[in-house]
Amino acid sequence: MGIAATPTISPSVRTSTVLPGGTYTCSYGYFCAQVWAGAAWKIFYLYDCKIYDVYNWTGTGYWRNNQSSGAPSPYLLGSEGIPIRVLAKSPSTGSADWDPVYSVSPCY
């Protein structure tokens, strides 16, 4: 049985770890992504309006959009850099299949 690779993002952002059943706060102004990291959830806190490349984001995860009410919608990009899913404007939450996602931007 192999060891799963740790989910990462570039450029780097603040992260935290949450055990199953635990909670976290997605502060105002942030888009937060929750990715399974083998024994716990890894939370990524995206703030700047740029494209972030993601690595080893697999399976079903979750997101919280807590940006300002006037912020553009976050979006997920596929391997060709084309948006594959536009997420709901703030405040909102949802789930995502991270397998086809190669990049994330908090603002479309």
Side-chain angles (χ1 to χ4, degrees):
M1 178 182 230
I3 297 174
T6 302
T8 60
I9 195 168
S10 179
S12 65
V13 298
R14 181 172 64 92
T15 64
S16 67
T17 303
V18 176
L19 294 175
T23 62
Y24 70 96
T25 299
C26 185
S27 298
Y28 182 76
Y30 283 83
F31 172 81
C32 301
Q34 185 176 339
V35 182
W36 186 247
W41 294 100
K42 187 168 184 179
I43 313 302
F44 295 87
Y45 301 89
L46 287 68
Y47 183 81
D48 294 323
C49 188
K50 62 174 81 173
I51 295 175
Y52 296 86
D53 294 325
V54 301
Y55 306 94
N56 305 310
W57 287 30
T58 60
T60 299
Y62 303 92
W63 54 269
R64 292 183 188 176
N65 185 4
N66 198 23
Q67 300 176 89
S68 65
S69 60
S73 296
Y75 61 103
L76 310 177
L77 298 105
S79 62
E80 301 297 319
I82 298 168
I84 57 174
R85 184 171 172 199
V86 177
L87 305 177
K89 290 188 174 220
S90 180
S92 59
T93 61
S95 63
D97 175 4
W98 297 127
D99 290 333
V101 178
Y102 283 69
S103 303
V104 175
S105 179
C107 45
Y108 184 68

